[in-house]
Each structure stands twice: as structure tokens, then as C-alpha cells.
Amino acid sequence: MLTRIDHIGIACRNLDETVEFYRATYGFEVFHTEVNEEQGVREAMLKINETSDGGASYLQLLEPTREDSAVGKWLAKNGEGVHHIAFGTADVDGDAAAIKDKGVRVLYDQPRIGSMGSRITFLHPKDCHGVLTELVTSAPAEQPEH
């Protein structure tokens, strides 16, 4: 069951300038940064709020590290802006299978590792009214040492 909007992905040409815009304009601070070599992006997650299911909602700013990455190709075609929406779920495998059974194409056979150690998959935008949609199961919270 989808429980929240996990994040909205925004493609940008310059991550540092875009982060500064969101910080200066809205007061959003960077919660996490990383480079995902497999997906060819450098990203910053800006936490917007906590959610009732123990997760959070973020803006994910994405700068391509290479032109042939999915975000690089999308940016060249569409320019900067909203790239995708991601919904949080406790069971990305089960929800992806249930959605696939409804005739929506799931882009990965098995979920991949996403931001902050999450497990992710994407749904084809042509099956989702033009919206690239991501399903996300957050990584387990670190347990305190005993």
C-alpha cells in the first residue's frame, strides 16, 4: 500500500545553484547528498517534513553526471523541471507486482538500490498519464547499538 509522497525528483543542470535557490527561497536544507554512478546522477535530498508512517517527504534534486544517463537525456529534451514523483511503500516488491497485474509496465524486473539505501522501481510514464512514477521502500532505520 502506498503511504506517502516520498519525493518529487527535479532535474537540474547545476546542483549547487539549484540547492542554493531552494535554501534561499524556501529555507529547505540539504538532508543527504550522493552520487549514483549506476543512474549517472549527483543528487541532493532536501527534507520537507516528517510523515505519519515514520518516513519523510523530500525534494530530490538531480544533476546528470553524464549526458547518456536517463536524467541527462531527459534534461536535454525537456530542460530543467519536475522529472518524476515517488510514492513511499513498505513493500516495493509487492506493490510493483500488484500494479503490474493492473497492466502498468514496471521498468525494473527487480527493485534497485536508490537514494539513502532505499529500494526502488519505476513505472512507465506512458501507463501513468505521462508521469514517470517511482515506488520507494526506505532503508531500515539504523538500530541503536546495545
Side-chain angles (χ1 to χ4, degrees), residues 36 38-41 66 69-71 83-84 92-93 95-97 100 104-115 118-125 132-136:
N36 185 319
E38 179 184 3
Q39 294 181 17
V41 294
R66 57 181 196 272
S69 69
V71 173
H83 179 261
H84 68 274
V92 70
D93 300 271
D95 283 336
K100 183 176 182 178
V104 176
R105 287 174 281 179
V106 177
L107 298 183
Y108 303 152
D109 290 333
Q110 296 294 319
R112 297 181 182 179
I113 301 300
S115 301
S118 62
R119 296 184 69 241
I120 66 167
T121 196
F122 285 90
L123 308 177
H124 200 292
L132 180 61
T133 304
E134 182 179 4
L135 304 179
V136 179

Side-chain angles (χ1 to χ4, degrees), residues 8 20 34 43 55 83 105 132-133 143-144:
I8 296 171
E20 180 54 26
E34 70 181 80
E43 67 178 77
H83 179 261
R105 287 174 281 179
L132 180 61
T133 304
Q143 300 298 317

Side-chain angles (χ1 to χ4, degrees), residues 6-24:
D6 185 85
H7 66 272
I8 296 171
I10 300 172
C12 62
R13 288 188 175 86
N14 184 306
L15 185 65
D16 297 328
E17 287 178 7
T18 307
V19 164
E20 180 54 26
F21 168 82
Y22 281 95
R23 189 203 60 72

Side-chain angles (χ1 to χ4, degrees), residues 38-117:
E38 179 184 3
Q39 294 181 17
V41 294
R42 186 169 78 106
E43 67 178 77
M45 297 293 274
L46 286 62
K47 185 186 271 187
I48 307 304
N49 66 313
E50 303 290 331
T51 61
S52 62
D53 68 354
S57 293
Y58 302 90
L59 286 181
Q60 179 188 44
L61 306 179
L62 299 160
E63 175 189 47
T65 58
R66 57 181 196 272
E67 292 178 12
D68 69 340
S69 69
V71 173
K73 291 175 187 176
W74 189 92
L75 191 61
K77 180 179 178 183
N78 300 293
E80 294 184 304
V82 175
H83 179 261
H84 68 274
I85 186 166
F87 295 109
T89 173
D91 181 9
V92 70
D93 300 271
D95 283 336
I99 291 169
K100 183 176 182 178
D101 287 345
K102 295 177 182 177
V104 176
R105 287 174 281 179
V106 177
L107 298 183
Y108 303 152
D109 290 333
Q110 296 294 319
R112 297 181 182 179
I113 301 300
S115 301
M116 301 184 291

